[in-house]
Amino acid sequence: MKLKPRRRRRRNELASTLIITSMVDMFTLVLLFLLVFYDPGFQGDDALELPRSQSTRAVEPGAVVRILPSGVLVDGRQVLVLDAGALRAGTPMRDKGPTAVTEALTPLAAAAREPDKAALQVECDRRVPWSALGPILESAADAGFARYRFVVVGED
Amino acid sequence: MRRRERNPVGAEIDLTPVLSTIVHIIPIVLIAVRFVTQYQHPMDQAPIHSTDAPSREKLEAQERERVVIKVGAAGFVVRGAGEGESTLPCRAPCAPADYDYAALSDAMVAARARHPAETQVVVVPEAAVTYEVLVGVFDAATQRRDGDRVTALFGQPVLVNGEAAP
């Protein structure tokens, strides 16, 4: 009896490739996450340097005024120029605060959910003197902000 | 004439270069990024201007009740922690780290004992005092930390714009 040679079953002939689509998806998401939370404001010579504090109270959301030695930004837009943290001579003032800051903050205070309880996040550089910070807080008060949240960096 | 065959059907996009680029970018971003935890010091009252001071009689009556920290170029002057004012000088050259925050914290604990019902502390900074020093004052005035034990002091700091306390 002639035996038929037994055919060996062929495995998949095509070279199977590693499916890396999921990995690319994951890495892309990680990259986007890092880029979103990457704050270039913490770098550079004229960067925002927040002071360290023992406070452990979480930051509440609200309109943001950022005070750098070079100027004042309201919700990311520069509205006033400072000279090494000091107000320039001849800066237009309304009452006790700079007019430009008051005008920029007024619509934000009006747009708050509860205008009488509008809170302003104050991101101030640790080197800025009270001679500049005080008038800016006066502007915020004139604009309608009654509460201030001084943003600091945790000691841990 | 026979036409050349194009790419075979079912050819996949080669994602290896993309993956390689992303794998390189992630460590670069991780090195450059600084993760910090932000907190806040709340202040629920607009700054008072020293020109808005009440009458002299009212001022004298308030002096006995209020806890006031004057922050100057030479240190702190505290009112309300004992009889009269106490001066807490800073070490030369009086940079933000040279201020005596520990002594200020002790003074605030004493002031808390003298004014148990008071929640406000009036902070009067001089023009040249930086925000960093102010935050140190807020830290000392609002709570006292002894290891894990935290004692609440004056939860509502009030800033005064001007050279004198109202």
Side-chain angles (χ1 to χ4, degrees):
Chain A
M1 185 178 150
K2 196 176 179 182
L3 291 173
K4 268 188 177 179
R6 201 173 176 184
R7 271 191 188 173
R8 289 182 69 188
R9 277 190 187 173
R10 280 189 183 176
R11 293 194 179 172
N12 290 340
E13 282 185 348
L14 293 172
S16 59
T17 54
L18 188 66
I19 299 170
I20 56 171
T21 317
S22 313
M23 200 192 285
V24 172
D25 281 353
M26 189 190 71
F27 276 126
T28 308
L29 288 173
V30 170
L31 185 65
L32 285 174
F33 171 82
L34 288 171
L35 288 174
V36 166
F37 285 96
Y38 170 68
D39 188 352
F42 280 107
Q43 294 186 336
D45 293 335
D46 193 31
L48 176 69
E49 289 183 26
L50 292 173
R52 293 198 170 274
S53 168
Q54 294 176 352
S55 177
T56 52
R57 299 185 68 159
V59 178
E60 297 165 23
V64 178
V65 62
R66 181 174 279 198
I67 308 165
L68 296 165
S70 61
V72 180
L73 289 83
V74 174
D75 270 357
R77 186 172 57 89
Q78 181 154 3
V79 296
L80 186 70
V81 177
L82 299 177
D83 282 335
L87 287 173
R88 282 185 171 176
T91 300
M93 304 288 272
R94 182 190 292 175
D95 200 6
K96 293 161 191 136
T99 308
V101 180
T102 310
E103 287 176 351
L105 287 174
T106 301
L108 298 179
R113 196 176 291 170
E114 295 176 85
D116 56 328
K117 292 180 183 174
L120 180 67
Q121 270 188 44
V122 182
E123 293 182 357
C124 184
D125 190 282
R126 64 182 183 83
R127 299 161 289 183
V128 170
W130 176 246
S131 59
L133 175 59
I136 291 162
L137 293 182
E138 298 262 15
S139 282
D142 286 347
F145 286 100
R147 296 165 173 218
Y148 308 92
R149 305 291 179 247
F150 295 102
V151 180
V152 292
V153 174
E155 286 193 328
D156 51 346
Chain B
M1 192 173 151
R2 204 175 167 191
R3 290 180 68 186
R4 275 191 187 175
E5 272 189 18
R6 289 192 179 176
N7 289 338
V9 177
E12 289 180 5
I13 300 168
D14 187 6
L15 290 172
T16 317
V18 179
L19 187 64
S20 178
T21 310
I22 293 174
V23 166
H24 280 91
I25 289 174
I26 286 175
I28 291 167
V29 175
L30 278 174
I31 289 166
V33 78
R34 275 177 60 183
F35 291 101
V36 291
T37 315
Q38 291 187 346
Y39 297 105
Q40 66 173 21
H41 265 297
M43 191 176 82
D44 291 338
Q45 186 175 330
I48 303 167
H49 202 274
S50 56
T51 54
D52 301 334
S55 66
R56 185 72 205 161
E57 295 77 30
K58 202 174 173 186
L59 192 66
E60 284 172 358
Q62 283 182 348
E63 272 196 8
R64 291 193 294 273
E65 298 161 13
R66 278 189 166 173
V67 180
V68 178
I69 305 169
K70 292 177 186 172
V71 192
F76 304 121
V77 176
V78 180
R79 202 168 69 200
E83 293 302 323
E85 291 185 339
S86 52
T87 305
L88 309 172
C90 56
R91 294 188 307 269
C94 255
D98 297 328
Y99 280 80
D100 197 347
Y101 301 106
L104 180 63
S105 179
D106 291 342
M108 288 298 102
V109 171
R112 173 86 271 175
R114 285 175 71 95
H115 306 274
E118 184 62 79
T119 56
Q120 282 191 344
V121 58
V122 179
V123 181
V124 191
E126 282 182 10
V129 169
T130 59
Y131 178 58
E132 185 174 16
V133 177
L134 277 181
V135 168
V137 171
F138 288 167
D139 277 350
T142 53
Q143 62 180 17
R144 169 68 168 254
R145 279 178 178 262
D146 294 310
D148 290 338
R149 191 174 156 217
V150 179
T151 310
L153 297 171
F154 301 96
Q156 293 178 35
V158 179
L159 283 164
V160 175
N161 197 12
E163 297 296 325

